Amino acid sequence: MNYSSEWENIYQRNEQLSIWPWSDLVSYVMRYSKPVAEKFKVLELGCGAGANIPFFQHLKVDYYAIEGSTSIVNHLHNKYPSLSTKIKTGDFTQEFPFDVSFDLIFDRASITHNNTDTIRNCISLIYSHLKQGNIFIGIDWFSTSHSEFKNGIITDDENTKSHFINGQFNNVGQVHFSDKLHLVKLFEKFEFIKMEHKIVAQEFPKADYNFASYNFAVKKI
Ligand SMILES: C[S@@+](CC[C@H](N)C(=O)[O-])C[C@H]1O[C@@H](n2cnc3c(N)ncnc32)[C@H](O)[C@@H]1O
């Protein structure tokens, strides 16, 4: 199992409990996927505390998720009893526990917490569980332009680091950093519809510090 158990500890400490949908994700879904009907099947990889669930409930589509943390999945089953068979605990780099072809698959800052080999495996699973002509959306895949890329310790491959002693990635286990070419190679079986490199330069409390990540939409061809 590749899943970083640090996430289980984070949720047990009641940290990272984001509950409002991420605006970049909302924009990408409405621009590139347009889910409308109740039959429209959406899979989220790494739903965390369920920040994006209210958005898909509002759209009245058929929402599924795979999440590695048992305690946050139990929390979501209590909060959304109607989704108790649709949100499953598991490692999405190893298996998708649904015999379903999806109209949309997406992640926000989840796949990017795995190493390159297991990300490749996850992308093969995405390919086989996505309907032909449909879209995968990746939001906030961390970039090698992120200031934290120079910190931490290389783990399984040169794009994957861990053991950050402070900052955004302290205690989160593996963090994978991409550049454009790396993403293009990882998704070579897909067509890129859109890719954006988001670089946010901080001025306070500390200047010369960048948050940097990629957002993208790719089509199964
Ligand atoms: C930064 S949080 C993002 C949560 C949510 N997507 C959001 O945007 O609010 C990363 C999540 O991915 C999950 N995750 C990372 N790797 C995973 C894996 N291989 N299998 C299942 N879940 C994983 C973690 O447990 C964690 O909940």
PDB file of all heavy atoms in Angstrom, residues 93-105:
ATOM      1  N   THR A  93      -4.638   4.297  -5.922  1.00  0.00           N
ATOM      2  CA  THR A  93      -3.550   3.959  -6.848  1.00  0.00           C
ATOM      3  C   THR A  93      -3.504   2.450  -7.109  1.00  0.00           C
ATOM      4  O   THR A  93      -2.778   2.007  -7.992  1.00  0.00           O
ATOM      5  CB  THR A  93      -2.174   4.402  -6.309  1.00  0.00           C
ATOM      6  OG1 THR A  93      -1.848   3.634  -5.145  1.00  0.00           O
ATOM      7  CG2 THR A  93      -2.152   5.886  -5.978  1.00  0.00           C
ATOM      8  N   GLN A  94      -4.289   1.696  -6.324  1.00  0.00           N
ATOM      9  CA  GLN A  94      -4.252   0.235  -6.447  1.00  0.00           C
ATOM     10  C   GLN A  94      -5.514  -0.329  -7.091  1.00  0.00           C
ATOM     11  O   GLN A  94      -5.468  -1.306  -7.827  1.00  0.00           O
ATOM     12  CB  GLN A  94      -4.071  -0.409  -5.058  1.00  0.00           C
ATOM     13  CG  GLN A  94      -2.814   0.061  -4.343  1.00  0.00           C
ATOM     14  CD  GLN A  94      -1.555  -0.179  -5.154  1.00  0.00           C
ATOM     15  OE1 GLN A  94      -1.309  -1.295  -5.610  1.00  0.00           O
ATOM     16  NE2 GLN A  94      -0.759   0.861  -5.384  1.00  0.00           N
ATOM     17  N   GLU A  95      -6.671   0.255  -6.764  1.00  0.00           N
ATOM     18  CA  GLU A  95      -7.942  -0.312  -7.229  1.00  0.00           C
ATOM     19  C   GLU A  95      -9.046   0.729  -7.143  1.00  0.00           C
ATOM     20  O   GLU A  95      -9.058   1.538  -6.216  1.00  0.00           O
ATOM     21  CB  GLU A  95      -8.302  -1.492  -6.294  1.00  0.00           C
ATOM     22  CG  GLU A  95      -9.515  -2.259  -6.714  1.00  0.00           C
ATOM     23  CD  GLU A  95     -10.085  -3.129  -5.578  1.00  0.00           C
ATOM     24  OE1 GLU A  95      -9.663  -2.973  -4.419  1.00  0.00           O
ATOM     25  OE2 GLU A  95     -10.987  -3.916  -5.882  1.00  0.00           O
ATOM     26  N   PHE A  96      -9.978   0.700  -8.115  1.00  0.00           N
ATOM     27  CA  PHE A  96     -11.209   1.484  -7.987  1.00  0.00           C
ATOM     28  C   PHE A  96     -12.313   0.476  -7.623  1.00  0.00           C
ATOM     29  O   PHE A  96     -12.655  -0.375  -8.458  1.00  0.00           O
ATOM     30  CB  PHE A  96     -11.581   2.184  -9.306  1.00  0.00           C
ATOM     31  CG  PHE A  96     -10.694   3.349  -9.680  1.00  0.00           C
ATOM     32  CD1 PHE A  96      -9.580   3.696  -8.931  1.00  0.00           C
ATOM     33  CD2 PHE A  96     -10.995   4.121 -10.798  1.00  0.00           C
ATOM     34  CE1 PHE A  96      -8.767   4.774  -9.283  1.00  0.00           C
ATOM     35  CE2 PHE A  96     -10.196   5.207 -11.164  1.00  0.00           C
ATOM     36  CZ  PHE A  96      -9.080   5.529 -10.406  1.00  0.00           C
ATOM     37  N   PRO A  97     -12.871   0.537  -6.417  1.00  0.00           N
ATOM     38  CA  PRO A  97     -13.804  -0.502  -5.962  1.00  0.00           C
ATOM     39  C   PRO A  97     -15.228  -0.318  -6.482  1.00  0.00           C
ATOM     40  O   PRO A  97     -16.190  -0.618  -5.775  1.00  0.00           O
ATOM     41  CB  PRO A  97     -13.736  -0.361  -4.435  1.00  0.00           C
ATOM     42  CG  PRO A  97     -13.448   1.081  -4.222  1.00  0.00           C
ATOM     43  CD  PRO A  97     -12.614   1.548  -5.376  1.00  0.00           C
ATOM     44  N   PHE A  98     -15.383   0.211  -7.694  1.00  0.00           N
ATOM     45  CA  PHE A  98     -16.708   0.412  -8.289  1.00  0.00           C
ATOM     46  C   PHE A  98     -16.702  -0.171  -9.691  1.00  0.00           C
ATOM     47  O   PHE A  98     -15.787   0.134 -10.475  1.00  0.00           O
ATOM     48  CB  PHE A  98     -17.048   1.913  -8.398  1.00  0.00           C
ATOM     49  CG  PHE A  98     -17.017   2.654  -7.089  1.00  0.00           C
ATOM     50  CD1 PHE A  98     -16.039   3.609  -6.840  1.00  0.00           C
ATOM     51  CD2 PHE A  98     -17.975   2.407  -6.116  1.00  0.00           C
ATOM     52  CE1 PHE A  98     -16.000   4.309  -5.647  1.00  0.00           C
ATOM     53  CE2 PHE A  98     -17.948   3.097  -4.905  1.00  0.00           C
ATOM     54  CZ  PHE A  98     -16.950   4.054  -4.670  1.00  0.00           C
ATOM     55  N   ASP A  99     -17.715  -0.969 -10.002  1.00  0.00           N
ATOM     56  CA  ASP A  99     -17.842  -1.526 -11.352  1.00  0.00           C
ATOM     57  C   ASP A  99     -18.707  -0.561 -12.173  1.00  0.00           C
ATOM     58  O   ASP A  99     -19.849  -0.857 -12.513  1.00  0.00           O
ATOM     59  CB  ASP A  99     -18.468  -2.921 -11.254  1.00  0.00           C
ATOM     60  CG  ASP A  99     -18.452  -3.625 -12.592  1.00  0.00           C
ATOM     61  OD1 ASP A  99     -17.722  -3.167 -13.501  1.00  0.00           O
ATOM     62  OD2 ASP A  99     -19.199  -4.616 -12.739  1.00  0.00           O
ATOM     63  N   VAL A 100     -18.144   0.609 -12.443  1.00  0.00           N
ATOM     64  CA  VAL A 100     -18.913   1.714 -13.034  1.00  0.00           C
ATOM     65  C   VAL A 100     -18.023   2.408 -14.065  1.00  0.00           C
ATOM     66  O   VAL A 100     -16.819   2.545 -13.856  1.00  0.00           O
ATOM     67  CB  VAL A 100     -19.284   2.750 -11.930  1.00  0.00           C
ATOM     68  CG1 VAL A 100     -19.935   3.984 -12.526  1.00  0.00           C
ATOM     69  CG2 VAL A 100     -20.185   2.135 -10.861  1.00  0.00           C
ATOM     70  N   SER A 101     -18.634   2.847 -15.190  1.00  0.00           N
ATOM     71  CA  SER A 101     -17.919   3.734 -16.113  1.00  0.00           C
ATOM     72  C   SER A 101     -18.351   5.159 -15.802  1.00  0.00           C
ATOM     73  O   SER A 101     -19.555   5.450 -15.775  1.00  0.00           O
ATOM     74  CB  SER A 101     -18.313   3.421 -17.566  1.00  0.00           C
ATOM     75  OG  SER A 101     -17.655   2.277 -17.975  1.00  0.00           O
ATOM     76  N   PHE A 102     -17.394   6.045 -15.581  1.00  0.00           N
ATOM     77  CA  PHE A 102     -17.720   7.382 -15.100  1.00  0.00           C
ATOM     78  C   PHE A 102     -17.757   8.407 -16.237  1.00  0.00           C
ATOM     79  O   PHE A 102     -17.011   8.306 -17.217  1.00  0.00           O
ATOM     80  CB  PHE A 102     -16.722   7.815 -14.032  1.00  0.00           C
ATOM     81  CG  PHE A 102     -16.871   7.030 -12.758  1.00  0.00           C
ATOM     82  CD1 PHE A 102     -16.066   5.924 -12.500  1.00  0.00           C
ATOM     83  CD2 PHE A 102     -17.853   7.377 -11.837  1.00  0.00           C
ATOM     84  CE1 PHE A 102     -16.241   5.181 -11.337  1.00  0.00           C
ATOM     85  CE2 PHE A 102     -18.022   6.644 -10.669  1.00  0.00           C
ATOM     86  CZ  PHE A 102     -17.210   5.543 -10.425  1.00  0.00           C
ATOM     87  N   ASP A 103     -18.628   9.416 -16.042  1.00  0.00           N
ATOM     88  CA  ASP A 103     -18.723  10.538 -16.989  1.00  0.00           C
ATOM     89  C   ASP A 103     -17.668  11.600 -16.671  1.00  0.00           C
ATOM     90  O   ASP A 103     -17.276  12.373 -17.547  1.00  0.00           O
ATOM     91  CB  ASP A 103     -20.121  11.172 -16.904  1.00  0.00           C
ATOM     92  CG  ASP A 103     -21.201  10.190 -17.310  1.00  0.00           C
ATOM     93  OD1 ASP A 103     -21.325   9.930 -18.514  1.00  0.00           O
ATOM     94  OD2 ASP A 103     -21.887   9.653 -16.415  1.00  0.00           O
ATOM     95  N   LEU A 104     -17.239  11.648 -15.414  1.00  0.00           N
ATOM     96  CA  LEU A 104     -16.201  12.599 -14.985  1.00  0.00           C
ATOM     97  C   LEU A 104     -15.443  11.983 -13.812  1.00  0.00           C
ATOM     98  O   LEU A 104     -16.061  11.440 -12.883  1.00  0.00           O
ATOM     99  CB  LEU A 104     -16.861  13.915 -14.514  1.00  0.00           C
ATOM    100  CG  LEU A 104     -15.956  14.904 -13.770  1.00  0.00           C
ATOM    101  CD1 LEU A 104     -14.867  15.458 -14.684  1.00  0.00           C
ATOM    102  CD2 LEU A 104     -16.794  16.071 -13.198  1.00  0.00           C
ATOM    103  N   ILE A 105     -14.107  12.035 -13.879  1.00  0.00           N
ATOM    104  CA  ILE A 105     -13.267  11.671 -12.730  1.00  0.00           C
ATOM    105  C   ILE A 105     -12.404  12.892 -12.429  1.00  0.00           C
ATOM    106  O   ILE A 105     -11.957  13.585 -13.352  1.00  0.00           O
ATOM    107  CB  ILE A 105     -12.388  10.430 -13.030  1.00  0.00           C
ATOM    108  CG1 ILE A 105     -13.275   9.222 -13.430  1.00  0.00           C
ATOM    109  CG2 ILE A 105     -11.541  10.065 -11.800  1.00  0.00           C
ATOM    110  CD1 ILE A 105     -12.498   7.953 -13.778  1.00  0.00           C
TER     111      ILE A 105
END
